Amino acid sequence: MPTPRLTPQQDRAWSLLIGVMTWLPAELDAHLDRAAGLSHAEYQVLRWLSLSEDREVHMTRLAATASVTPSHLSRIVARLEKRELLTRSNDPTDARRTLARLTAAGARVVEEVEPGYAAEVRRLVFEHLDPGQAEQLEGIAEALLTPLRSDCVGLLPPRALRPSDIS
Amino acid sequence: MPTPRLTPQQDRAWSLLIGVMTWLPAELDAHLDRAAGLSHAEYQVLRWLSLSEDREVHMTRLAATASVTPSHLSRIVARLEKRELLTRSNDPTDARRTLARLTAAGARVVEEVEPGYAAEVRRLVFEHLDPGQAEQLEGIAEALLTPLRSDCVGLLPPRALRPSDIS
DNA sequence: AGGCCATGCTTGCCGCGGCAAATGATCGTA
DNA sequence: TACGATCATTTGCCGCGGCAAGCATGGCCT
């Protein structure tokens, strides 16, 4: 058991981070609900589906990329299937798996929602950070998420080469 | 309408941040539930109460510091009152307000839980960051939270002077 | 083949927490 | 003082999502 308490600096950073983790998702949830009647988690599912080969992924992988638990994903997919934004089918190569596939209507919804969503992320996050901080944020988030969920970090697009990597 | 989409770097940073915002609170919730049968929000309420003058604060201010909505706080305080970890009374200076005050039992719970909680925050967050990143995190979190919730940033202990501020 | 554990997904149960309406108190103004 | 606007808090309603149990199916070993 090394240090017993947080340093004042850590304490302050942590308190601020709690605020961000509480209010930032709430804000995006509200935006997406207004824009398309979707929760943030539902939108993440649609978005990752739309980025996948053939717009089709099996549940486990989709859960990892969209940051939801398997049981949560199951309910999300059930809701979205009812709205005909995606369909479920069996994976022919492994009958245990379920494949989720985006429908044309689902793809349309993603296209319609995406610009406003990106604008919202910019307005709430990147407008307030200079380019250096944006890069720091990437490094910090990766450092925190990797030990927390080693499975999902590897599924993201790899870190791009940037000028600062060369020096 | 400036830039239409996120840059690849922003996109990756944002995806990682979503993961952190999803899984980090979940992990602490689970720890606190195991340790004391408390949710993370409930613990924040107790903790900020314990740091307040006379262990007594009115609801609005408590909601701001503990990062919960007023209605959420109302239910949290009702639960904690039932467990006799705090009491509610009327503010004599303004009858609209409710004062929450930590009981001796509540103070004991905070004392018991705090070291393990701090250890958990260190294990999940600060162990994975070098001192520079911890400081960057403070700056980034403050930059994001201030426009989001201008009211609560000011209630935190002020930013400490550090060597890097002098140079 | 048959037994056994691991894997993938779903579901019952239930508590948490958001929104908006309701209640009660205070303040500003005439 | 009387009245309307605002503030502080609570509550009804209801959907979301966690956990753990359930139910296939696949993989492995003998």
Side-chain angles (χ1 to χ4, degrees):
Chain A
M1 204 65 72
T3 334
R5 307 219 310 120
L6 299 181
T7 68
Q9 196 271 331
Q10 289 175 337
D11 206 1
R12 182 174 152 87
W14 177 239
S15 297
L16 289 163
L17 183 56
I18 289 175
V20 171
M21 295 189 302
T22 304
W23 301 122
L24 189 49
E27 200 79 14
L28 286 159
D29 252 331
H31 167 79
L32 285 167
D33 189 40
R34 261 178 275 123
L38 292 170
S39 71
H40 192 252
E42 286 169 341
Y43 176 67
Q44 291 307 311
V45 167
L46 292 178
R47 174 137 216 284
W48 282 105
L49 259 185
S50 80
L51 293 174
S52 303
E53 188 80 16
D54 295 328
R55 291 170 168 169
E56 183 175 62
V57 206
H58 60 94
M59 303 288 282
T60 302
R61 185 188 171 112
L62 190 51
T65 52
S67 290
V68 292
T69 60
S71 80
H72 189 185
L73 179 61
S74 187
R75 294 174 207 274
I76 288 173
V77 167
R79 288 197 292 270
L80 296 177
E81 191 178 33
K82 208 158 293 172
R83 290 170 63 173
E84 305 195 340
L85 301 180
L86 55 77
T87 59
R88 272 189 282 201
S89 57
N90 296 330
D91 186 332
T93 75
D94 185 340
R96 289 171 302 178
R97 289 183 167 177
T98 300
L99 292 174
R101 180 200 295 268
L102 205 60
T103 63
R108 210 176 317 120
V109 167
V110 173
E111 269 177 35
E112 286 166 6
V113 171
E114 187 158 345
Y117 177 77
E120 205 59 9
V121 174
R122 248 183 289 109
R123 180 176 77 81
L124 293 167
V125 180
F126 296 106
E127 297 256 305
H128 307 288
L129 304 179
D130 59 48
Q133 285 178 312
E135 206 170 314
Q136 292 166 7
L137 175 59
E138 182 185 355
I140 291 168
E142 181 167 2
L144 298 185
L145 186 57
T146 303
L148 208 51
R149 291 271 145 170
S150 46
D151 52 337
C152 51
V153 178
L155 300 176
L156 263 44
R159 190 163 189 156
L161 268 184
R162 276 181 290 283
S164 57
D165 297 330
I166 297 170
S167 66
Chain B
M1 201 67 73
T3 335
R5 308 219 309 119
L6 300 182
T7 68
Q9 195 271 331
Q10 289 175 336
D11 206 2
R12 183 175 151 85
W14 176 240
S15 297
L16 289 162
L17 183 56
I18 289 175
V20 171
M21 294 190 302
T22 304
W23 301 122
L24 189 49
E27 200 79 14
L28 286 159
D29 251 331
H31 168 80
L32 285 167
D33 189 41
R34 260 178 277 124
L38 292 170
S39 71
H40 193 251
E42 285 168 342
Y43 176 66
Q44 291 307 311
V45 166
L46 292 178
R47 173 136 217 285
W48 282 105
L49 259 185
S50 80
L51 294 175
S52 303
E53 188 80 15
D54 294 328
R55 291 172 169 168
E56 182 174 62
V57 205
H58 60 95
M59 302 289 280
T60 301
R61 185 187 170 111
L62 189 51
T65 52
S67 291
V68 293
T69 59
S71 81
H72 188 184
L73 179 63
S74 185
R75 295 174 206 274
I76 288 172
V77 167
R79 288 197 293 269
L80 296 178
E81 191 178 33
K82 208 158 295 173
R83 291 171 63 173
E84 305 194 341
L85 302 180
L86 54 78
T87 59
R88 272 188 283 200
S89 57
N90 297 330
D91 186 333
T93 75
D94 183 341
R96 290 172 301 179
R97 288 182 167 177
T98 300
L99 291 173
R101 180 200 294 267
L102 205 61
T103 63
R108 209 176 319 118
V109 166
V110 173
E111 269 177 36
E112 286 166 6
V113 170
E114 187 160 345
Y117 178 78
E120 205 59 11
V121 173
R122 247 183 289 108
R123 181 177 75 81
L124 294 167
V125 179
F126 296 106
E127 298 256 306
H128 307 287
L129 304 179
D130 59 49
Q133 286 179 310
E135 207 170 312
Q136 292 166 7
L137 175 59
E138 183 184 356
I140 291 168
E142 181 166 3
L144 298 185
L145 187 57
T146 303
L148 209 51
R149 292 270 144 169
S150 46
D151 52 337
C152 50
V153 178
L155 299 175
L156 263 43
R159 190 164 187 154
L161 267 183
R162 276 181 290 283
S164 57
D165 297 330
I166 298 169
S167 67

